[in-house]
Amino acid sequence: MEDIQLILAKNLKAYRERKKLSLEKVSELTGVSKTMIGQIERGESSPTITTIWKIANGLKISFTSLINQSQPDTKVMLKKDVQVLTEDNGRYRVYPYFPFQDERRFEVYSVEIEPGGFLSSDSHGEGTEEFITVFDGELKIQVNNMEYAIKSGDSIRFKADRPHTYQNSGEMITRLSMTIHYPA
């Protein structure tokens, strides 16, 4: 994990350069001295929380955008590096490829269900939706007292703010992609 002072230095400098702002202009917008802004950008100063807030407010950006490590534009996730979660004696396997983050409001999983594999899920938060595409096999989903058979190549979207179940109703392994979207 990179030091917060270095993360702040990189983020502030990158933001300033992206917006084509001079040190003087940032100072003017934030009320923080030009000297201090320069020291922060060079990683020579460890500013107080109050100073970071002044910078964030003056630039009209979030506090966390200054102190969180930026995500790369591209990220490859290898299956071997994803921690598998299992249910139903290992017959239902979930690979959380892209976990939830506040700025995204969704998470993405790959799921494998052995023949006969089953999972009963409690309701998620109000307004939550699931988007599923089956790539291999077939899937039986029960939601709202309705049953849906989703076959290879087919997709389903449903409100997941109520209990629902997943079952491999076929003779071969079911592989699917699941995206869960949470309301703001």
Side-chain angles (χ1 to χ4, degrees):
M1 182 84 176
E2 207 173 339
D3 178 82
I4 190 97
Q5 188 175 331
L6 295 177
I7 294 169
L8 173 61
K10 277 188 202 174
N11 290 346
L12 179 56
K13 185 171 186 168
Y15 179 83
R16 186 176 64 77
E17 289 175 349
R18 205 170 43 251
K19 296 294 185 177
K20 297 180 178 25
L21 299 172
S22 66
L23 289 173
E24 194 170 300
K25 184 64 176 176
V26 172
S27 175
E28 183 184 310
L29 291 169
T30 64
V32 176
S33 75
K34 178 178 160 184
T35 304
M36 175 63 82
I37 297 292
Q39 289 173 344
I40 293 169
E41 284 190 3
R42 290 187 302 276
E44 297 170 355
S45 174
S46 184
T48 64
I49 292 172
T50 303
T51 300
I52 298 171
W53 270 113
K54 283 177 76 172
I55 294 168
N57 290 336
L59 297 176
K60 296 181 176 26
I61 58 176
S62 73
F63 181 87
T64 56
S65 70
L66 287 172
I67 62 167
N68 283 342
Q69 208 156 11
S70 62
Q71 297 293 315
D73 290 343
T74 304
K75 183 169 185 171
V76 174
M77 299 295 296
L78 302 177
K79 186 174 183 179
K80 69 180 182 63
D81 296 334
V82 177
Q83 180 65 49
V84 64
L85 307 169
T86 63
E87 285 285 336
D88 195 15
N89 297 314
R91 295 189 308 168
Y92 187 98
R93 296 179 296 279
V94 177
Y95 299 85
Y97 278 88
F98 299 101
F100 176 85
Q101 292 182 320
D102 280 336
E103 65 273 11
R104 282 203 200 84
R105 312 298 312 158
F106 67 86
E107 51 198 10
V108 178
Y109 302 93
S110 174
V111 179
E112 298 175 346
I113 311 171
E114 297 292 334
F118 178 85
L119 178 77
S120 179
S121 178
D122 290 332
S123 58
H124 305 309
E126 184 69 31
T128 302
E129 291 184 299
E130 286 191 22
F131 300 81
I132 294 175
T133 298
V134 175
F135 296 106
D136 294 310
E138 51 189 80
L139 177 69
K140 183 168 50 172
I141 291 184
Q142 188 168 2
V143 61
N144 235 15
N145 295 319
M146 296 290 293
E147 197 170 279
Y148 303 91
I150 314 302
K151 297 188 188 279
S152 178
D154 295 337
S155 299
I156 184 172
R157 175 194 58 81
F158 62 93
K159 291 194 179 287
D161 55 3
R162 53 207 67 169
H164 47 282
T165 62
Y166 314 88
Q167 182 175 7
N168 179 342
S169 52
E171 300 297 317
M172 63 181 280
I173 190 168
T174 296
R175 289 185 176 88
L176 59 98
S177 172
M178 174 188 295
T179 300
I180 302 177
H181 180 266
Y182 299 90

